[in-house]
Amino acid sequence: MTSLTLVDLLLRFSSVGIMLTLSTLLWHKLGRGERLLALALSLSLTGFLLLTQPIHELRFNPARGVFLFLTELFPFVLALTFWRTFHARFPHWLSHKASQAGIFILVLILFWQFVLTDISAPFHQVMHLLEAIALLTAIGLSMWGFQDDLVDARRRLRIVLATLSVVYCLLLLVFELTDSPWRRQSWFMLSNAVVVFIALFASLLAIKDWLFTSVTQLGQPKIKPSSALSDKLNAQLAAQIYLQPTLTIAQLAETMTVPPHQLRKYINEQLGFNHFSQFLNHHRLDHVVMQFKQADQVNTPILTLALNAGFNSIGPFNRAFKARFNTTPSQYRKQLFLD
């Protein structure tokens, strides 16, 4: 075994170790959906690394079908991970039983095709096309809401990590589709291990704020605020500018006549919000709760109050409300009447 092969294997198993260790240490901090995603990402990444490692005898063994199955799932799991990491939520359709059943059936079909039977070439090519679409979707997800992200380091990582890691995965698909002999070279396999290791490490940096930030800590000043900027922001909040459904941080900065980057840094570092939408939802939820307590709003539907507070639909409102108050809006309102 050459030293190049040893370095390659070290990087691969180090990547697997980092992923599994992180998942284990943070398991109690994650919800059920995040736990399933962490497990799926760990398994699919492990399958990909084992399938593409440099020792020929280990690649072509009875477990190859399992490694191939997990590898085929990796682009889809990666896209979902980008969604959850950069937007602090899962796609709405994942909450539906029909969608969950469809995903389960699809996974069973893939398991049957890649593990239990000899995969046909046309089916494999179709899978490559779907994987390319998933990876392109991941690029779009990393850029969608970029201006809403208040963490400068993560904003930079969104561009670097998303672009480099996903483009690299697309190159792997091109090599697979063209059956390029380069992908069988030891230097290519080593570069693959290096990129995966770096991408994984960068991913950990990108999600650390999401992993360690509690919703109950939001809105609490971290350091002594700048009085001028604080006064301007408080004046806009007093005018209830957050009730505007389409308000962006650029629009708020323009209204306050301050540079957007200064406002972004202030809201993040001094108020503790990671996303501008979190900042808006925090004040919109306060507004709704105040409306719950008003006698003349007792019979006003919750949907009406949510829309009047700036939410575009009831779904995001319900999720934001439950995340902050650990109960549904209707239960919270009912408890106010009981008290």
Side-chain angles (χ1 to χ4, degrees), residues 191-265:
S191 64
N192 183 27
V194 170
V195 171
V196 170
F197 181 82
I198 294 175
L200 178 59
F201 184 76
S203 297
L204 299 183
L205 294 178
I207 67 175
K208 65 181 178 64
D209 291 322
W210 163 65
L211 291 170
F212 293 105
T213 298
S214 170
V215 175
T216 58
Q217 297 173 339
L218 297 177
Q220 304 300 318
K222 296 180 178 180
I223 58 178
K224 185 177 180 180
S226 166
S227 59
L229 190 55
S230 176
D231 291 343
K232 288 184 177 181
L233 181 57
N234 289 336
Q236 294 301 321
L237 293 176
Q240 299 182 326
I241 194 173
Y242 50 82
L243 299 183
Q244 299 179 18
T246 60
L247 182 66
T248 66
I249 193 167
Q251 292 171 339
L252 178 58
E254 182 178 2
T255 302
M256 295 172 55
T257 63
V258 298
H261 73 274
Q262 289 185 9
L263 180 59
R264 185 180 297 113
K265 184 173 183 175

Side-chain angles (χ1 to χ4, degrees), residues 139-175:
I139 294 179
L141 290 173
S142 65
M143 293 296 98
W144 174 38
F146 176 77
Q147 295 298 332
D148 187 58
D149 197 337
L150 302 178
V151 183
D152 288 335
R154 192 173 56 208
R155 281 163 57 87
R156 293 190 294 270
L157 280 170
R158 286 167 75 110
I159 298 175
V160 176
L161 172 65
T163 303
L164 292 183
S165 63
V166 176
V167 167
Y168 184 76
C169 289
L170 288 173
L171 289 176
L172 290 179
L173 286 176
V174 171
F175 285 133

Side-chain angles (χ1 to χ4, degrees), residues 276-291:
F276 186 61
S277 57
Q278 288 180 335
F279 169 75
L280 291 178
N281 288 346
H282 186 85
H283 293 284
R284 288 168 176 171
L285 290 175
D286 284 344
H287 180 81
V288 171
V289 169
M290 289 299 298
Q291 295 301 302

Side-chain angles (χ1 to χ4, degrees), residues 46-201:
T46 299
F48 170 71
L49 290 171
L50 292 177
L51 182 68
T52 58
Q53 51 79 31
I55 302 179
H56 183 274
E57 293 77 8
L58 295 181
R59 291 203 309 274
F60 294 90
N61 61 71
R64 175 176 169 78
V66 176
F67 297 159
L68 184 59
F69 163 71
L70 293 173
T71 299
E72 299 295 330
L73 289 179
F74 181 61
F76 304 102
V77 177
L78 183 65
L80 185 57
T81 302
F82 274 42
W83 192 311
R84 181 63 184 86
T85 299
F86 292 137
H87 303 291
R89 60 179 173 83
F90 287 108
H92 299 163
W93 50 267
L94 274 182
S95 61
H96 302 307
K97 296 296 183 182
S99 299
Q100 296 171 3
I103 293 175
F104 181 73
I105 293 173
L106 178 60
V107 171
L108 287 181
I109 293 175
L110 294 179
F111 184 83
W112 175 70
Q113 284 285 338
F114 288 100
V115 179
L116 302 180
T117 64
D118 293 330
I119 183 66
S120 63
F123 184 83
H124 208 172
Q125 297 300 324
V126 171
M127 283 301 303
H128 286 324
L129 177 61
L130 294 177
E131 290 159 12
I133 294 174
L135 293 171
L136 289 173
T137 300
I139 294 179
L141 290 173
S142 65
M143 293 296 98
W144 174 38
F146 176 77
Q147 295 298 332
D148 187 58
D149 197 337
L150 302 178
V151 183
D152 288 335
R154 192 173 56 208
R155 281 163 57 87
R156 293 190 294 270
L157 280 170
R158 286 167 75 110
I159 298 175
V160 176
L161 172 65
T163 303
L164 292 183
S165 63
V166 176
V167 167
Y168 184 76
C169 289
L170 288 173
L171 289 176
L172 290 179
L173 286 176
V174 171
F175 285 133
E176 181 73 20
L177 288 170
T178 60
D179 196 27
S180 172
W182 284 4
R183 62 193 179 98
R184 300 181 182 88
Q185 300 296 321
S186 57
W187 63 266
F188 178 77
M189 294 179 182
L190 177 60
S191 64
N192 183 27
V194 170
V195 171
V196 170
F197 181 82
I198 294 175
L200 178 59
F201 184 76

